[in-house]
């Protein structure tokens, strides 16, 4: 057991699973203790279907987690499956206290505010997460036709507005009028 994140009301931890049918493809999970005297809930388990993606896509590992005051959980995860490649094997999700999940962004998606670049790995940076269910993330950016990141950016994913670029490497921005 390893605690990974907490808020006023919720503690997240990774734990190992054992028993019949458990093997190297599904032996750990991310759990939430909501502190209300209820049994801890399984948020996601290795080998579970990754919501919002093809039926062949599964969770493989959890990299970063955050929980907000509403008990929502943001996590960056590794993916596996027959339609997963090195260019799309990470994603960010938001889980609601009722267990429903929202895919925020997947590696390989087009990065808004860039000249056709796509998101690189979404598991190497820390996440930011607030009470409006907005997720901030820093990631590399890949130029069309390349296999590696040549730039980076900070983005905000809003559940209503979508993904908004905050700052992207190489782009000029005004700090104050006239600067």
């Amino acid at each position: 057991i390893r605690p990974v994140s907490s808020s006023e009301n919720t503690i997240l931890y990774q734990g190992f699973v054992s028993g019949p049918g458990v093997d190297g493809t599904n032996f750990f999970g991310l759990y939430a203790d909501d502190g209300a005297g209820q049994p801890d809930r399984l948020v996601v388990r290795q080998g579970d279907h990754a919501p919002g993606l093809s039926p062949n896509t599964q969770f493989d590992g959890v990299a970063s987690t955050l929980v907000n005051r509403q008990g929502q959980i943001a996590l960056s995860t590794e993916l596996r499956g027959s339609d997963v490649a090195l260019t799309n094997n990470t994603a960010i999700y938001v889980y609601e206290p009722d267990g429903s999940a929202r895919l925020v962004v997947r590696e390989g998606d087009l990065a808004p505010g860039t000249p056709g670049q796509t998101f690189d790995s979404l598991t190497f940076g820390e996440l930011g997460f607030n009470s409006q269910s907005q997720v901030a993330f820093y990631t590399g950016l890949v130029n069309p036709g390349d296999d590696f990141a040549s730039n980076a950016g900070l983005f905000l994913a809003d559940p209503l507005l979508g993904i908004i670029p905050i700052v992207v490497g190489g782009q000029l921005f005004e700090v104050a009028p006239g600067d």
Side-chain angles (χ1 to χ4, degrees):
I1 296 177
R2 180 176 73 92
V4 292
S5 187
S6 67
S7 74
E8 291 179 13
N9 305 318
T10 305
I11 297 172
L12 298 179
Y13 63 92
Q14 289 183 359
F16 293 97
V17 180
S18 63
V22 177
D23 59 26
T25 66
N26 63 0
F27 70 96
F28 81 85
L30 178 68
Y31 297 86
D33 177 349
D34 295 320
Q38 300 295 319
D40 294 354
R41 63 185 162 96
L42 176 64
V43 177
V44 63
R45 182 173 171 186
Q46 181 187 30
D48 284 352
H49 171 255
L53 299 176
S54 78
N56 299 335
T57 306
Q58 302 169 329
F59 290 112
D60 195 35
V62 174
S64 296
T65 61
L66 287 175
V67 59
N68 66 17
R69 289 183 178 169
Q70 286 72 28
Q72 296 171 312
I73 298 164
L75 61 92
S76 61
T77 182
E78 297 166 351
L79 302 170
R80 69 172 185 227
S82 59
D83 60 347
V84 176
L86 286 175
T87 56
N88 68 357
N89 67 346
T90 61
I92 297 174
Y93 280 87
V94 169
Y95 276 80
E96 299 293 334
D98 67 6
S100 63
R102 171 175 56 93
L103 174 64
V104 174
V105 62
R106 183 176 184 183
E107 178 182 355
D109 287 351
L110 189 62
T114 69
Q117 295 172 315
T118 58
F119 294 116
D120 195 22
S121 176
L122 297 163
T123 58
F124 72 84
E126 292 297 318
L127 301 176
F129 190 44
N130 66 22
S131 59
Q132 285 79 42
S133 193
Q134 296 171 321
V135 180
F137 61 97
Y138 175 82
T139 186
L141 298 168
V142 179
N143 288 319
D146 287 349
D147 293 329
F148 58 91
S150 59
N151 200 357
L154 176 65
F155 295 85
L156 179 74
D158 181 275
L160 300 176
L161 301 175
I163 298 175
I164 303 162
I166 303 301
V167 63
V168 176
Q171 292 182 348
L172 301 176
F173 63 95
E174 186 176 49
V175 177
D179 284 350

